[in-house]
Amino acid sequence: RNMWKTTVAHIESLGDTARVATSMPLALIAEVTTESARSLGLVPGVVVWVSIKATELDVQPVPISESDSSSS
């Protein structure tokens, strides 16, 4: 497993799940149950350790805006 220390940036409630966004040094989005988010005390600003199992990772592309493409 790969582990990083990062900070919770934002949490979006989606009914039974919560989408947790982290900030640098590892900006990512993880989906957890709402109950897990509550019991772990996940709120913006909390420092957390993120553990990722490579076989459970799903990568989604982010569209490049016109302003980003002009710098390449």
Side-chain angles (χ1 to χ4, degrees), residues 5-8 43 45-49:
K5 187 175 181 181
T6 188
T7 304
V8 175
V43 294
V46 169
V47 175
V48 295
W49 281 95

Side-chain angles (χ1 to χ4, degrees), residues 4-5 13 16 19 22 28 35-36 38-39 42 45 51-52 54 58 64 68:
W4 293 269
K5 187 175 181 181
S13 180
D16 291 340
R19 189 168 288 154
T22 62
L28 59 78
E35 181 57 33
S36 292
R38 190 176 309 119
S39 67
L42 298 180
S51 174
I52 299 173
D58 186 23
I64 299 174
D68 291 340

Side-chain angles (χ1 to χ4, degrees), residues 17-32:
T17 62
R19 189 168 288 154
V20 181
T22 62
S23 60
M24 293 305 196
L26 182 65
L28 59 78
I29 297 173
E31 289 192 1
V32 298

